[in-house]
């Protein structure tokens, strides 16, 4: 049994409310009780005698649960299969609401709890081992019931008449919160030599999500001067689209990752079966996004009614005159009007620019125009393939200076995103923290990202020819495990020993556009000494 000092340490908050005589009675009762101290029961007796505030027994239950959790064996990720409840979790049903908030605050103020039922979660986080005390939300209790009864997210979604994506999103929150545990992702990098130099890059070597950039049609209402693929491919058959969704769902479950589908084209909204395919993707729990062109208000309302896109990305290529030269007359103002529609509906908007020597000086001025218009503005360097082969990038020296100017401007403009892997060279030189690069994991080609075209042909990166197989013939697992995909995942051999390789790898599309051997010659714009 704990000694007097230990009892005072465990129940210091609840005992602090007791008059000295009542505290002495409680401690005396502890001393006379064999075995484990039952302070909540002792305080219950005192509460019934109206000697102490009535909420103290519940507060003592929280303190006892914290003490039990603190003495429990450490938890970890080893040996996990599927989804499991954290073994240290205790769910307390209390009669007073608001005590958990008081418990976690370092405050001596008297709490003002409400006399009504509340559930409290007490557990040790399975990642960082911190003890957590929090009120249970309705979704927490639903997910715990789901796991205990071995129900699927699809089953829970059907019972609650809610999108299955909402259930998967709740599961993500539960795992992050730490009261549910899941097996770690199987999407992991083969070790780089840089991994052994320090521990800075561990979080960039394993992805919890997989993105499919799905070009469901080549049909487009624009004819941009830098388009990297105007090949004539038939639009995907609806039945093939459903097959791909089912296969991608199985792939993500097997790899223990969350699947995201970025619908693209052409203009994906011109695909005749787009709404059916979008609904089927939402029903299977995928995060959905759209890379497209300005669309009518009614189409956006239709999609939101199914599942709000995580983002809708449109493109601008500079200020109005230059943009309309590249994308067609009137395009700039149509995008501006469309961004207003997305903001009205609460859809996260992204604007992407393809950087060339002709628009490099327009990027920062355009970002200023977009400051109140969009949520995020990014740029990619031109991939000099397809019709883009007629355009050029700025010089290496000019590009390096531009990156510095962009970072300075981004400090004062919150919509300016950072995407190009080469920004990490500047961060290293400035001694600052790294960011995840192009796909969150440096060059994500065939790692946590690949593209599928309307005929099922898969590419490691959509910006240049990088075939790794055919989804309709080999399935996602067959394509992902292919030798071609593995080669693109590894990237340029020259980069493998680089100190920042896990968050960089350059841009394979730029290397390809310059006629380099992208597996042995690094990004020509790399300025790392």
């Amino acid at each position: 049994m704990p000694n007097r000092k230990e009892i005072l340490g465990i129940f210091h908050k609840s005992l602090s409310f007791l008059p000295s005589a009542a505290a002495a009675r409680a401690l005396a009762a502890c001393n006379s009780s064999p075995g484990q101290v039952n302070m909540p029961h002792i305080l219950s007796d005192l509460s019934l005698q109206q000697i102490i505030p009535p909420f103290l027994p519940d507060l003592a239950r929280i303190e006892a649960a914290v003490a039990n959790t603190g003495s429990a064996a450490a938890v970890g990720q080893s040996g996990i299969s599927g989804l499991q409840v954290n073994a240290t979790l205790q769910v307390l049903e209390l009669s007073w609401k608001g005590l958990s908030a008081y418990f976690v605050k370092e405050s001596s103020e008297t709490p003002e709890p409400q006399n009504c039922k509340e559930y409290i979660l007490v557990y040790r986080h399975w990642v960082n081992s911190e003890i957590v005390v929090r009120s249970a939300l309705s979704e927490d209790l639903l997910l715990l019931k789901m796991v205990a009864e071995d129900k699927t997210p699809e089953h829970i979604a059907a019972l609650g008449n809610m999108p299955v994506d909402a259930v998967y999103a709740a599961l993500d929150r539960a795992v992050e919160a730490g009261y549910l545990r899941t097996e770690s992702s199987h999407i992991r990098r083969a070790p780089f030599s840089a991994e052994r130099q320090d521990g800075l890059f561990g979080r960039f070597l394993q992805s919890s999500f997989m993105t499919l950039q799905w070009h469901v049609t080549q049909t487009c209402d624009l004819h941009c001067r830098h388009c990297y693929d105007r090949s004539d491919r038939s639009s995907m058959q609806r039945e093939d689209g459903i097959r791909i969704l089912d296969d991608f769902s199985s792939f993500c479950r097997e790899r223990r990752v969350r699947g995201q589908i970025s619908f693209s084209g052409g203009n994906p909204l011109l695909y005749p079966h787009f709404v059916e395919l979008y609904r089927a993707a939402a029903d299977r729990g995928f995060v959905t996004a759209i890379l497209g062109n300005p669309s009518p208000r009614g189409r956006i309302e239709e999609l939101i009614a199914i599942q709000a896109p995580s983002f809708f990305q449109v493109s601008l290529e500079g200020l109005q005159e230059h943009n309309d030269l590249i994308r067609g007359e009137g395009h700039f103002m149509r995008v501006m009007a469309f961004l207003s529609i997305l903001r009205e509906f609460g859809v996260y908007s992204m604007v992407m620019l393809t950087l060339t020597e002709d628009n490099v000086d327009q990027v920062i001025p355009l970002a200023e125009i977009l400051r109140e218009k969009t949520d995020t503005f990014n740029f990619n360097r031109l991939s000099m393939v397809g019709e883009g082969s007629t355009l050029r990038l700025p010089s290496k020296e000019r590009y390096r200076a531009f990156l510095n100017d962009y970072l300075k401007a981004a400090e004062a403009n919150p919509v300016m995103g950072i995407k190009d892997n080469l920004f990490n060279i500047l961060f290293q030189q400035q001694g600052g923290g790294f960011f995840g690069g192009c796909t969150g994991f440096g060059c994500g080609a065939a790692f946590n990202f690949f593209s599928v075209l309307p005929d099922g042909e898969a590419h490691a990166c959509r910006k240049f020819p990088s075939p790794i197989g055919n989804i309709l013939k080999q399935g996602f697992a067959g394509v992902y495990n292919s030798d071609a995909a593995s080669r693109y995942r590894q990237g340029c051999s020259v980069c493998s020993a680089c100190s920042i390789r896990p968050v960089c790898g350059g841009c394979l599309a730029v290397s390809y556009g310059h006629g380099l051997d992208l597996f042995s010659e690094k990004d020509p714009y790399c300025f790392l000494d």
Side-chain angles (χ1 to χ4, degrees):
M1 185 178 78
N3 59 39
R4 180 187 178 93
K5 184 177 180 180
E6 290 170 337
I7 293 171
L8 288 171
I10 293 171
F11 299 103
H12 69 282
K13 279 188 179 276
S14 53
L15 289 175
S16 68
F17 287 98
L18 271 61
S20 57
R25 287 178 61 180
L27 291 171
C30 289
N31 291 334
S32 64
S33 299
Q36 185 65 38
V37 172
N38 194 348
M39 182 64 75
H41 179 72
I42 294 169
L43 295 183
S44 246
D45 288 342
L46 294 176
S47 175
L48 290 174
Q49 299 172 43
Q50 299 183 342
I51 296 175
I52 63 172
F55 60 80
L56 287 189
D58 274 358
L59 181 58
R61 290 183 64 199
I62 297 176
E63 292 176 302
V66 169
N68 291 335
T69 300
S71 62
V75 294
Q77 209 167 7
S78 60
I80 300 176
S81 177
L83 193 66
Q84 297 179 4
V85 176
N86 186 326
T88 68
L89 177 67
Q90 298 173 76
V91 182
L92 307 180
E93 183 181 346
L94 305 182
S95 301
W96 293 84
K97 185 176 182 179
L99 288 175
S100 64
Y102 169 75
F103 180 83
V104 299
K105 288 193 305 182
E106 291 297 329
S107 172
S108 58
E109 296 179 6
T110 301
E112 297 182 0
Q114 304 172 44
N115 189 4
C116 58
K117 183 185 295 186
E118 181 179 33
Y119 289 94
I120 301 293
L121 305 183
V122 180
Y123 58 93
R124 184 186 291 183
H125 199 293
W126 61 275
V127 175
N128 57 31
S129 293
E130 292 182 1
I131 295 177
V132 179
V133 178
R134 57 187 286 262
S135 297
L137 304 175
S138 56
E139 78 170 30
D140 301 326
L141 299 175
L142 179 63
L143 295 177
L144 289 170
K145 179 179 174 66
M146 182 190 85
V147 176
E149 296 179 358
D150 198 24
K151 303 294 186 184
T152 65
E154 289 75 15
H155 178 83
I156 296 299
L159 284 179
N161 193 27
M162 67 181 81
V164 69
D165 181 64
V167 182
Y168 277 106
L171 283 171
D172 288 343
R173 291 191 291 271
V175 171
E176 184 177 357
Y179 67 85
L180 292 183
R181 302 192 304 158
T182 187
E183 185 178 356
S184 62
S185 165
H186 295 184
I187 301 295
R188 301 170 187 150
R189 286 283 193 197
F192 295 119
S193 59
E195 180 188 358
R196 295 190 293 271
Q197 295 179 19
D198 55 55
L200 291 176
F201 303 111
R203 64 191 177 97
F204 299 113
L205 300 174
Q206 180 173 304
S207 175
S208 61
F209 66 91
M210 185 76 190
T211 296
L212 166 63
Q213 188 179 100
W214 195 2
H215 297 256
V216 293
T217 181
Q218 294 290 86
T219 303
C220 190
D221 45 339
L222 302 177
H223 193 130
C224 304
R225 296 194 177 195
H226 63 302
C227 184
Y228 46 76
D229 184 6
R230 298 291 296 183
S231 60
D232 184 18
R233 299 172 190 260
S234 298
S235 293
M236 180 170 292
Q237 295 296 311
R238 177 190 173 281
E239 294 75 14
D240 287 339
I242 298 299
R243 282 175 53 202
I244 285 176
L245 286 172
D246 288 336
D247 187 26
F248 188 46
S249 180
S250 296
F251 176 86
C252 290
R253 285 197 302 271
E254 291 167 0
R255 297 304 192 281
R256 305 298 181 189
V257 292
R258 186 82 188 279
Q260 173 179 304
I261 298 179
S262 296
F263 288 97
S264 188
N267 183 353
L269 274 69
L270 297 180
Y271 173 58
H273 305 294
F274 180 73
V275 172
E276 295 175 73
L277 216 56
Y278 188 88
R279 179 178 288 108
D283 288 344
R284 285 158 177 77
F286 292 118
V287 176
T288 51
I290 299 172
L291 316 179
N293 300 332
S295 303
R297 173 188 297 266
R299 294 305 304 276
I300 304 305
E301 289 179 311
E302 186 177 22
L303 297 180
I304 291 175
I306 299 170
Q307 175 174 291
S310 59
F311 65 86
F312 195 120
Q313 178 179 297
V314 291
S315 295
L316 287 173
E317 307 308 335
L319 302 177
Q320 185 170 355
E321 182 179 356
H322 180 74
N323 176 81
D324 289 0
L325 176 67
I326 299 294
R327 289 190 168 264
E329 186 176 353
H331 177 264
F332 188 93
M333 295 309 298
R334 288 198 299 275
V335 168
M336 289 298 173
F338 183 62
L339 291 174
S340 296
I341 292 174
L342 294 179
R343 177 150 293 189
E344 177 185 340
F345 286 126
V347 175
Y348 193 96
S349 66
M350 299 179 69
V351 174
M352 179 61 70
L353 175 142
T354 299
L355 187 88
T356 69
E357 66 176 357
D358 298 320
N359 67 6
V360 64
D361 294 322
Q362 299 181 35
V363 175
I364 296 175
L366 176 61
E368 279 302 308
I369 294 174
L370 293 172
R371 179 189 287 265
E372 303 297 331
K373 302 288 187 181
T374 189
D375 293 296
T376 299
F377 169 62
N378 278 315
F379 68 86
N380 276 324
R381 281 176 284 161
L382 170 73
S383 174
M384 294 189 296
V385 299
E387 296 183 22
S389 62
T390 63
L391 303 175
R392 289 293 177 267
L393 281 162
S395 69
K396 180 177 178 178
E397 293 71 23
R398 176 69 187 92
Y399 186 62
R400 180 176 183 175
F402 163 75
L403 291 183
N404 277 298
D405 293 341
Y406 186 93
L407 280 182
K408 291 177 183 177
E411 293 176 1
N413 189 340
V415 305
M416 295 175 69
I418 299 174
K419 185 175 174 65
D420 194 308
N421 292 331
L422 299 191
F423 275 117
N424 276 313
I425 301 177
L426 295 180
F427 292 149
Q428 184 190 51
Q429 294 172 347
Q430 295 167 6
F434 297 102
F435 83 114
C438 184
T439 67
F441 300 86
C443 175
F447 172 57
N448 69 323
F449 171 96
F450 59 80
S451 296
V452 173
L453 305 188
D455 57 2
E457 188 174 284
H459 288 253
C461 173
R462 185 64 182 108
K463 294 193 298 179
F464 73 104
S466 49
I468 54 177
N470 190 292
I471 293 296
L472 293 174
K473 297 176 181 178
Q474 300 165 260
F476 277 90
V479 169
Y480 192 84
N481 295 331
S482 68
D483 291 341
S486 177
R487 196 177 185 199
Y488 282 106
R489 268 196 295 281
Q490 195 63 27
C492 174
S493 59
V494 174
C495 296
S496 62
C498 177
S499 61
I500 63 170
R501 173 60 183 92
V503 291
C504 190
C507 179
L508 300 181
V510 170
S511 296
Y512 181 93
H514 279 76
L516 303 178
D517 180 347
L518 53 89
F519 298 115
S520 63
E521 297 178 276
K522 69 178 182 178
D523 185 328
Y525 283 75
C526 174
F527 51 89
L528 182 65
D529 295 332

